């Protein structure tokens, strides 16, 4: 319950603060987008250690992801692509972006192609931005 409250409060704060001027946020926006792209490349190559390298080691989702990734890679034959990325803003700790992912099954096995819409939070670790957590805004099946 605390996680839901935190995520909701962080989303509202990010929306109230609003985006920074383009000149101020350009470098951070590019860095965050690169975190997402690097993570997707590692995930699509089915490399658990490289995938986790873009996730903060103290993230509430880290241990779960560490355990789940090998099973996902062996069970699913799907590819995830960046569908959309919108930088929202940051404070003195977290950065926030709205990120949409499209996941497409690579075979005819039973898999429903989908688009996941998230509010994604990033936090620095050792001077590098990494995934912290995300809040799913919605999901829809895609043709």
């Amino acid at each position: 319950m605390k996680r839901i409250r935190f995520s909701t409060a962080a989303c509202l704060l990010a929306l109230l603060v609003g985006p920074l001027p383009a000149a101020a946020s350009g470098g951070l926006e590019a860095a965050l987008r690169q975190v997402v792209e690097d993570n997707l490349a590692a995930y699509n190559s089915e490399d658990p250690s490289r995938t986790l390298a873009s996730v903060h080691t103290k993230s509430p989702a880290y241990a779960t992801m560490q355990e789940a990734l090998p099973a996902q890679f062996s069970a699913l034959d799907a590819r995830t692509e960046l569908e959309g990325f919108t930088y929202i803003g940051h404070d003195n700790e977290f950065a926030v972006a709205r990120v949409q992912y499209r996941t497409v099954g690579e075979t005819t096995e039973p898999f429903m192609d989908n688009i996941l819409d998230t509010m994604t939070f990033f936090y620095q670790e050792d001077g590098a931005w990494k995934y912290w957590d995300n809040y799913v805004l919605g999901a829809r099946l895609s043709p």
Side-chain angles (χ1 to χ4, degrees), residues 61-81:
Y62 189 88
T64 304
M65 288 179 65
Q66 188 174 34
E67 186 177 313
L69 284 173
Q72 285 180 15
F73 294 151
S74 66
L76 296 176
D77 192 10
R79 180 169 185 76
T80 302
E81 303 165 350

Side-chain angles (χ1 to χ4, degrees), residues 56-108:
H56 197 291
T57 57
K58 302 226 183 313
S59 161
Y62 189 88
T64 304
M65 288 179 65
Q66 188 174 34
E67 186 177 313
L69 284 173
Q72 285 180 15
F73 294 151
S74 66
L76 296 176
D77 192 10
R79 180 169 185 76
T80 302
E81 303 165 350
L82 183 59
E83 179 76 8
F85 182 95
T86 305
Y87 173 75
I88 303 293
H90 77 281
D91 63 11
N92 61 341
E93 290 185 83
F94 291 93
V96 182
R98 186 171 182 181
V99 184
Q100 294 90 27
Y101 304 92
R102 176 185 297 272
T103 303
V104 177
E106 302 259 326
T107 66
T108 58

Side-chain angles (χ1 to χ4, degrees), residues 115-136:
I115 296 175
L116 187 65
D117 189 5
T118 70
M119 192 66 71
T120 301
F121 302 90
F122 302 86
Y123 193 74
Q124 285 191 332
E125 184 172 42
D126 298 326
W129 286 101
K130 297 191 174 193
Y131 275 109
W132 178 257
D133 204 355
N134 65 33
Y135 179 79
V136 177

